Every structure is written in C-alpha cells, then in structure tokens.
Amino acid sequence: MKTVAVVLCLVSLALAEQAPVFLWGVNSEAKPALTTVPKSEFSGIIASQKKDNTVVVFLENGLTTKDFSCTNDLTSKSCYAHLQEVPEKTFYASVEDPVDALKSIGEYEYNSVDTTGKLSNELTEGKTVFVTFDDLSDSNRAACLESHDAIITSISNQLNGKAIFVYTTAPQTSSVALKRERRAAADSNGVVFQSGADLLLYYTTLTVVNSKDQSTTVLTPTSMEVKKVNTTALSVTLTSTPALTFDVTLVGGYFYMTNVQWNGITFRSNDVNAPTDFSYFCGNLTLNGRGTAEEPSTYTLNWNSLQFQAPFGSTTNENFVFGDAWHCVGFFTGGILSGLLIVALLLTITFVGVCWMMDINTMDRFDDPKGKTITINASE
C-alpha cells in the first residue's frame, strides 16, 4: 500500500502544472526560489485577503521564470520596467496549478484586452477575472512582454489599488485563446458558435474538397441551430448553402459526432469523440465521404483547428468555456510504439543472456597430487 501511495503521489506531482506567479496588491510571505508553493496554500493566501476585492489575473502564454530577466536589446532596460516599480510585490518561482487554485476561491469569469489596453468587457467587482491578451503574434518576445507590461500597469492604475493582481502563465492544457469574447461571425481568429449549455463550437476554416475535379468549396455558416432530440442526442445545423448537419450523441460518458452530412453526402466521423468534461480538439480534421466498394466517394470535409464540446448536463452555465483539450492525435504514435517494442526485445535478450551467465558453475573437485587420483565413473 505504501508503494501505491508513493506512486500516486509521484503521478499527481507529474501531472500538476507548476508556473511562476508575480503577485501584488496583497500582503504575502516570500518563499525560497527552489520551493514549490502547493495549490492549497496559494489559494489560501488569496482567499484570506480577497474579501470583496476583485482579483485580476493576467495570463501570459508560455511565461517562464526566464522571461522575468528579459531586457530590451536597444535600451538595455527590463521588459518589466513598470512592474518592477510596483510596491508590495511578491514573486513565486513555482506555484502548483495557480489558475485552478484561483478558480477555487469563488466566482470567476474570462475577459480579454487588445493591443491598445482596452478590455472587451467591464471588470466585475468581487469576482476573479482572468484576462488574456488578444495579440496572437509573439515573434519578438521582448517587445511582446514590454507591451503587456504597459497594458498591465494601465489596468492596475485604473483600479487604483482596489484589487489584487496576479501575473502568471496561461494553462497549457486549455486553449485560452478560445476563452476570449464570443464571436458570432468569421474573423481572422476563427468562428465561435454557442448554444447555451448544450454545445460550444470553434473552428478557423471549413471546406469540402472533391478530388475528382479538384474543386474546393468553402463553407461560411452564419449561425448554428441546435435541437435537443433527447437527453443523449443533439441535432446540429450550420446554416450555409447548402447547410452542414450532424448529430452529437452521448455514449458511455463520451460525446460523439455522428451523421455528418452536406449536400446529400455523408461523411465518416467514427473517431470524433471526447469525454463530456473535456473538449474535442483537432488541428486538421479530415472526414472522408461514405461511398461503396464499387464507387468510393471522392469528397472530403476538412475542419481546421476544430474544437467543440457538448457537456450533456455536466454544466448548466450557458456561457461555459472549453474544458481541457482531448486531442485527436493519440500519444502512442507508430514510431513510439515501434521504439517501445524494440526496447522490450533488447531487454528480453539481455535478461536471457544474464540468466545464462549466472547459470555457469565452476569446478568443485580438484586432483590432490599427494593423494589418490580422483576417479569419476561414467554413471556420474
């Protein structure tokens, strides 16, 4: 039992996300740089001083401790020149799941800020507000961090010290970019459709390709209609010309995309599924048309950056956001599986060889030149 407990502890530590946290607007105790602050302790620090204050959490994609030592090559100044001047600040080099810890202390919502420092929605007092940055390009990391430093300072000055501020890493297991303001029409970032607590859908492009005449039809749905057939099935229609229809069914705790049809063509979607608490995600999903052995279909339906989720009662929030991504590409690819089989074969050969070597016995009888000669009968 002790061994099992140790293994479970190690697994939980491995799965936990550890991220740096820059905290100000609250009195907190500093921790050694090599110490990881547990999730429960970090949430306790915020909850003990939150009261009716607003907690503003700025989520930076790919933030690491190395970013805090970033400098501008031209001016040799820190990328966080404004944050360095903040009084009563605390820096934790490693905090266990800081975003989940902040979610556990009360009501929360998501917001976003553009490159000019304008929030998409007004901040709600008394809640925990997760703020993401709308600029998607970070080719120049230093310039990006400098810009965010100025935006954070501008927002914190507007609140005039009436809030608790946190700057940390955006979670790697969720698509923070999809938690921004809902968009009802296509733009440069993609399309988002939501039907209450029943279905949330996101994608960037949707096309139908006919390999026979090399034609491509781009679908641009303007709305999504969702009909609840029963407690375990939804009928979805993306209004385009012609419309794209599919069903979402619940089987064994997983939601499946089934009966995908467009212009009288049915597409195969057997592997499009995910648990209800997760969101299905696929960077490039290709669904082949369903034909016959004599006449195979030449049509394919292509979704780019498809992500959708049907909670089926796991949440009643009509503005719910995507859960952790359930990727269409499994962990065990062909190359990984081949490598594991080869390693297992080599270990087996090594084990057999060692066993044979350990089975070699030395002689235990020797001639005594002063004694009688040892005689060994053939029967022995």
Side-chain angles (χ1 to χ4, degrees), residues 8-329:
L8 292 177
C9 181
L10 292 175
V11 171
S12 62
L13 289 175
L15 294 177
E17 290 186 1
Q18 298 177 359
V21 171
F22 188 85
L23 176 65
W24 71 101
V26 62
N27 295 323
S28 56
E29 181 183 357
K31 299 288 183 180
L34 299 179
T35 301
T36 298
V37 180
K39 176 180 176 181
S40 57
E41 181 179 347
F42 180 68
S43 60
I45 293 173
I46 305 300
S48 63
Q49 303 187 49
K50 180 180 184 298
K51 298 180 181 179
D52 296 330
N53 291 330
T54 304
V55 180
V56 183
V57 186
F58 298 98
L59 300 178
E60 182 74 69
N61 289 327
L63 182 68
T64 63
T65 54
K66 185 179 179 180
D67 287 327
F68 288 93
S69 60
C70 166
T71 57
N72 189 310
D73 295 335
L74 298 177
T75 62
S76 299
K77 293 183 178 180
S78 171
C79 297
Y80 295 103
H82 296 91
L83 288 182
Q84 285 183 342
E85 304 300 325
V86 173
E88 297 183 356
K89 55 182 177 289
T90 306
F91 176 71
Y92 297 125
S94 178
V95 178
E96 178 187 352
D97 292 329
V99 174
D100 289 343
L102 293 168
K103 288 181 179 179
S104 65
I105 63 177
E107 296 184 11
Y108 64 90
E109 63 183 24
Y110 280 88
N111 207 329
S112 63
V113 59
D114 59 20
T115 54
T116 64
K118 182 179 179 181
L119 292 166
S120 59
N121 299 305
E122 294 293 331
L123 294 178
T124 304
E125 295 184 0
K127 287 187 177 182
T128 301
V129 183
F130 295 95
V131 179
T132 60
F133 299 95
D134 266 341
D135 51 341
L136 298 179
S137 176
D138 58 351
S139 56
N140 189 337
R141 183 65 172 174
C144 182
L145 295 179
E146 281 185 307
S147 173
H148 294 175
D149 175 54
I151 291 173
I152 292 171
T153 304
S154 174
I155 295 175
S156 59
N157 289 339
Q158 292 174 18
L159 296 177
N160 195 22
K162 297 180 180 179
I164 299 172
F165 299 95
V166 181
Y167 180 57
T168 186
T169 308
Q172 297 297 322
T173 56
S174 61
S175 301
V176 176
L178 302 183
K179 295 175 181 176
R180 296 174 180 163
E181 180 182 6
R182 298 290 190 268
R183 299 174 177 87
D187 58 16
S188 59
N189 296 328
V191 181
V192 177
F193 292 123
Q194 184 165 19
S195 178
D198 294 328
L199 183 66
L200 177 59
L201 176 70
Y202 169 89
Y203 65 90
T204 53
T205 60
L206 175 60
T207 58
V208 177
V209 178
N210 184 1
S211 60
K212 185 176 181 180
D213 55 9
Q214 300 298 318
S215 62
T216 301
T217 304
V218 179
L219 305 185
T220 56
T222 56
S223 62
M224 179 179 71
E225 298 178 3
V226 178
K227 294 182 180 179
K228 204 166 186 178
V229 180
N230 50 51
T231 57
T232 60
L234 301 173
S235 178
V236 183
T237 301
L238 296 180
T239 55
S240 60
T241 307
L244 175 67
T245 62
F246 60 90
D247 297 334
V248 181
T249 58
L250 176 66
V251 180
Y254 287 70
F255 61 88
Y256 289 77
M257 177 184 286
T258 59
N259 300 326
V260 182
Q261 294 184 351
W262 176 81
N263 198 22
I265 305 167
T266 302
F267 298 90
R268 304 177 186 273
S269 59
N270 300 335
D271 298 329
V272 183
N273 61 81
T276 54
D277 292 334
F278 288 75
S279 61
Y280 176 86
F281 175 79
C282 195
N284 292 287
L285 177 64
T286 299
L287 304 181
N288 297 314
R290 189 187 299 274
T292 61
E294 295 78 13
E295 188 177 353
S297 176
T298 59
Y299 287 89
T300 57
L301 180 67
N302 302 316
W303 301 76
N304 284 339
S305 300
L306 171 66
Q307 187 167 13
F308 77 103
Q309 182 176 359
F312 279 104
S314 62
T315 179
T316 58
N317 183 6
E318 294 188 354
N319 294 316
F320 76 96
V321 296
F322 285 125
D324 294 340
W326 186 271
H327 292 269
C328 59
V329 179

Side-chain angles (χ1 to χ4, degrees), residues 304-366:
N304 284 339
S305 300
L306 171 66
Q307 187 167 13
F308 77 103
Q309 182 176 359
F312 279 104
S314 62
T315 179
T316 58
N317 183 6
E318 294 188 354
N319 294 316
F320 76 96
V321 296
F322 285 125
D324 294 340
W326 186 271
H327 292 269
C328 59
V329 179
F331 177 76
F332 284 100
T333 62
I336 293 176
L337 187 59
S338 300
L340 292 176
L341 291 176
I342 293 173
V343 170
L345 178 61
L346 294 176
L347 289 177
T348 302
I349 295 173
T350 304
F351 177 76
V352 172
V354 170
C355 289
W356 285 352
M357 291 176 63
M358 294 178 64
D359 195 48
I360 298 175
N361 297 321
T362 59
M363 295 178 60
D364 56 357
R365 293 185 181 183
F366 300 92

